[in-house]
Amino acid sequence: MKLSLYTLLLLFVSQTLIAQTAYEHNYDENKVPQFHLPDPLKTFEGKQIKTSQEWTNMRRPELYSFFEENVYGKVPGAIDDISFEVIEQGNNAINGKAIRKQVKVTLTKNKQSISYTILIYLPKNKTTAPIFMGPNFRGNHTVNADPNIIMTSAWVPNTKELGITDHKAQESSRGTRTNRWAIEKIIDGGFGLATIYYGEVDPDKDDFSDGLHSLFYSEGQLNPKPDEWGSISAWSFALSKALDYFETDSAIDAAKVVVFGHSRLGKTSLWAGASDQRFAGVIANDSGCGGAALSKRKYGETIAIINTAFPHWFSDNFNKYIENESALPVDQHELLALIAPRPLYIASAKEDRWADPKGEFLSTHFASPVYALFDKEGISTSKIPEVNQPIQNIVAYHIRTGKHDVTEYDWEQYIKWAKKHIE
Ligand code: GCU
């Protein structure tokens, strides 16, 4: 049978729609299932953890391994070589207040390599600065209108509003995400900002033939193994390697790097902070399912929905928990606990029901007993605060008005909190 192009298109669209709507989402609090939340202070074998030493030596390693093998996926070995090259520098950026540096990182494995560029702004009035470090969605050149930012040549998603139709970044997209990156406020607050375009590390599509993963394959291998890394783990790894660079640059206080991310990149910042304890603090903005939100609540996006829509983000093993959350011996509050005792900020937006603000908040509360072991103040209340009423302890949380986004308001809170707990 010969099918017309139109029929094929219809078939494709309907199949995609079926795939996307196969799993229902719930926005009704009354329909949240009853669930048992695992105790971060009890080992898988049932031993109660009573001291920070027991946490560090016994419980943390087993929890980390679980997330590594069953959720985000293991990094399959070390890289062979890493190199850094400062490819551009300017001393008069951000209204004359900042130094700009662009550093090319090259990771080599099995004689193949990938490169990505870190864009860095540092306050001029400091000899060494603490920084926020986070990946961006559409290329470094989108975070500010600064004409000196090198435009990415990597694959970018087609985006009509940005005039991108052939997966190539366009000059017209320069500065289009300025609203999400309050760089001047960050500089005025005494911090620097570093960002990378995540697509230079691994393009955000269900295709493992390219990006960082492909460097690690053995002969004939086409995909990571079931317990090996998905894209979130690869993006996190690249953030860690950027931290390797910061340790070589005296203008950056590498002991005070706060890893930041929004949405899928908030999931990424959490995993980066859990995996690399050199990060001094972690911020996850609207990170939702697979980020700060409790999976067992099944509110908004679920494990089934996320693994169907984005099969490349997590390890294949995570599929075992599709419509099977009760079998999960962990939940996302334990991912947050892996960041203890370091400062951690989780933020939600009122209208972002897809990310389950209440589930994101409850995670901070249920991770807090681990902070208490270290005498650090977490979040003791189990009642979500009112909108725009941040709680800013070592573990911090806010829910702001508005939708899924990163706003000026969010950055004002992060800067204030970081001044207290990081600087
Ligand atoms: C989708 C996805 C979320 C993700 C978000 C984003 O909505 O379902 O899990 O956080 O994209 O990254 O913007």
Side-chain angles (χ1 to χ4, degrees), residues 104-119:
K104 185 173 164 187
V105 181
T106 303
L107 306 180
T108 306
K109 174 88 178 167
N110 296 328
K111 301 201 170 67
Q112 290 171 283
S113 47
I114 64 147
S115 295
Y116 54 99
T117 303
I118 322 174
L119 167 68

Side-chain angles (χ1 to χ4, degrees), residues 69-181:
E69 286 160 29
N70 298 284
V71 184
Y72 303 97
K74 289 195 290 201
V75 179
I79 48 164
D80 298 336
D81 187 49
I82 181 166
S83 67
F84 310 115
E85 188 193 349
V86 179
I87 50 176
E88 195 274 342
Q89 186 157 359
N91 291 321
N92 200 24
I94 315 294
N95 291 325
K97 296 176 181 177
I99 291 164
R100 180 190 56 250
K101 270 187 201 176
Q102 300 186 71
V103 180
K104 185 173 164 187
V105 181
T106 303
L107 306 180
T108 306
K109 174 88 178 167
N110 296 328
K111 301 201 170 67
Q112 290 171 283
S113 47
I114 64 147
S115 295
Y116 54 99
T117 303
I118 322 174
L119 167 68
I120 307 167
Y121 288 108
L122 297 170
K124 258 191 191 169
N125 56 4
K126 285 204 165 167
T127 43
T128 178
I131 64 168
F132 294 100
M133 153 73 175
N136 65 71
F137 278 87
R138 292 289 186 270
N140 292 351
H141 66 287
T142 63
V143 308
N144 192 270
D146 182 344
N148 298 293
I149 304 175
I150 300 161
M151 192 173 322
T152 185
S153 55
W155 182 93
V156 290
N158 284 341
T159 321
K160 245 202 188 144
E161 316 91 78
L162 303 184
I164 298 165
T165 52
D166 56 358
H167 297 296
K168 286 202 182 74
Q170 299 293 332
E171 193 51 47
S172 55
S173 61
R174 186 175 294 280
T176 47
R177 287 291 166 89
T178 306
N179 56 317
R180 283 193 174 175
W181 298 90

Side-chain angles (χ1 to χ4, degrees), residues 128 301 412:
T128 178
E301 189 172 30
E412 282 161 10

Side-chain angles (χ1 to χ4, degrees), residues 230-338:
S231 294
I232 290 176
S233 179
W235 300 324
S236 303
F237 182 82
L239 293 171
S240 252
K241 295 295 121 190
L243 185 47
D244 289 3
Y245 167 74
F246 303 148
E247 289 183 336
T248 70
D249 187 336
S250 64
I252 297 170
D253 187 345
K256 291 181 180 166
V257 178
V258 180
V259 63
F260 157 86
H262 168 62
S263 207
R264 70 197 66 184
L265 298 177
K267 310 179 208 302
T268 303
S269 66
L270 288 169
W271 185 237
S275 302
D276 189 338
Q277 297 189 66
R278 293 175 302 167
F279 284 114
V282 180
I283 301 171
N285 191 89
D286 305 355
S287 59
C289 179
L294 293 174
S295 302
K296 290 176 193 274
R297 275 174 49 79
K298 296 189 73 178
Y299 185 101
E301 189 172 30
T302 62
I303 295 177
I305 297 173
I306 204 165
N307 279 331
T308 308
F310 306 100
H312 56 295
W313 282 2
F314 300 91
S315 71
D316 276 355
N317 274 346
F318 199 32
N319 290 320
K320 288 191 273 188
Y321 301 101
I322 288 181
E323 292 297 312
N324 189 24
E325 283 81 356
S326 57
L328 246 185
V330 300
D331 209 331
Q332 298 303 107
H333 61 305
E334 292 170 314
L335 170 69
L336 304 195
L338 292 174

